Amino acid sequence: MELKFSAETLCVQGGWKPSNGEPRVLPIYQSTTFKYDSTEQMARLFDLEESGYFYTRLQNPTNDAVAAKIAALEGGVGAMLTSSGQAANFYAIFNICQAGDHFVCSSAIYGGTFNLFAVTMKKLGIDVTFVSPDASDEELSKAFRPNTKALFGESISNPSLDVLDIEKFARVAHAHGVPLIVDNTFPTPINCRPFEWGADIVVHSTTKYMDGHATSVGGVVVDSGNFDWEAHPDKFPGLCTPDESYHGLTYTKAFGKMAYMTKATAQLMRDLGSIQSPQNAFLLNLGLETLHLRMPRHCSNAQAVAEYLQANDKVAWVNYSGLPGNKYHELAKKYMPNGSCGVISFGLKGGRDVAIRFMDSLKLVAIVTHVADARTCVLHPASHTHRQLTDEQLIEAGVKPDLIRLSVGIENVADIIADIEQALAQ
Ligand SMILES: *Cc1c(COP(=O)(O)O)cnc(C)c1O
């Protein structure tokens, strides 16, 4: 009998299950290819009639073990690692959208995802409509068209820190016969499990808390296996009608609940090839082994820093869902009762110029593009990650020009606050 394990145990031991005499630690299968005894067997692998490894662009045992761990943490049926979070988001949409299709997306999303969806996917003929995450069911519904294939949002948006009402988004998506895709990068499955609230597909930039040490760019797509593609075969021909590139195989018929993941791997990864290297998957796995220990510390440190900032008269505003009175405090309590994430945003009295002087005065806290790793770091989105966006787009994405994004790490919180205090004094 399969035992059901808690998230803590899955972090440490999920995925890699060595049999007698095998390495205790997940090995790095640093091999592009795999050996077979007969041409016949190799042919069956190429036809997807048999599962097995043949070329690392499609599948690799190190990557698969790590993907299985993440799938278990999210409560999904399968997952696929990608080379980056950007690639994960692209694959998640492109697996069910083609030229002429449309999807709906919360406007509170990461700047890179915004560019991918609004600019690059448009060039592929895939159209997106952005909606406010706070929109009512009726307002959300108005954005849907007959050719709409998905609804997308971030469980906690980067960097505006809006908390997605996952149940509302799932309800509207399902009323229109499409899946809800949730980018769950910031809370991680330790703090939020979108599938339990009706989301169908989850994506992550594993570059952030999952890796947690800022060593490896990566992403993952996870499928709950819950969405009934066959209920809307006209909407999802890629899954429900024969794939000519696999001798007329139909994914839903051949793979059931694994249809979406199999197509993403066998078709998109085969053709687009944005794989995570096994070396990076190994490092990601080391990060995952302590995710359940790091997330609570990120949250308690961030809570203390947010409270310190809120009480400081040089600070104009603080945005952290852990603060009572925050716009998203109640939603955060519902969807992530044990804490949200370690990222805070705030503004200083005096605006943009004061923000820059403050950041340049920090000593322990470093200015880096990164977010969500063990070391506390800071960023000014308007002049860094979001600098391609117009002021109008900035506001729409919930990014004020004076917004400072502070990613609180797992150092001693008194040291972090002392550094902020001396920089504010400058
Ligand atoms: C960073 C990030 C991404 C992009 O991930 P990369 O790994 O940098 O490609 C996507 N979504 C969110 C919420 C992010 O924070």
Side-chain angles (χ1 to χ4, degrees), residues 30-84:
Q30 193 69 43
S31 181
T32 59
T33 193
F34 302 83
K35 171 194 169 287
Y36 288 94
D37 289 338
S38 73
T39 37
E40 171 63 27
Q41 194 178 6
M42 184 75 107
R44 284 200 299 273
L45 295 177
F46 269 98
D47 282 348
L48 302 182
E49 285 170 4
E50 218 174 83
S51 63
Y53 298 99
F54 53 105
Y55 192 56
T56 285
R57 169 150 43 78
L58 283 105
Q59 278 186 293
N60 173 283
T62 306
N63 290 26
D64 280 1
V66 181
K69 174 179 283 191
I70 297 172
L73 282 167
E74 286 287 5
V77 294
M80 177 182 79
L81 299 188
T82 58
S83 55
S84 68

Side-chain angles (χ1 to χ4, degrees), residues 84-86 89 110 113 154 158 183 185-186 205 207-208 217-218:
S84 68
Q86 289 293 104
N89 281 332
Y110 174 67
T113 309
E154 291 180 1
N158 176 8
D183 183 333
T185 297
F186 269 19
S205 165
T207 317
K208 314 294 166 54
V217 174

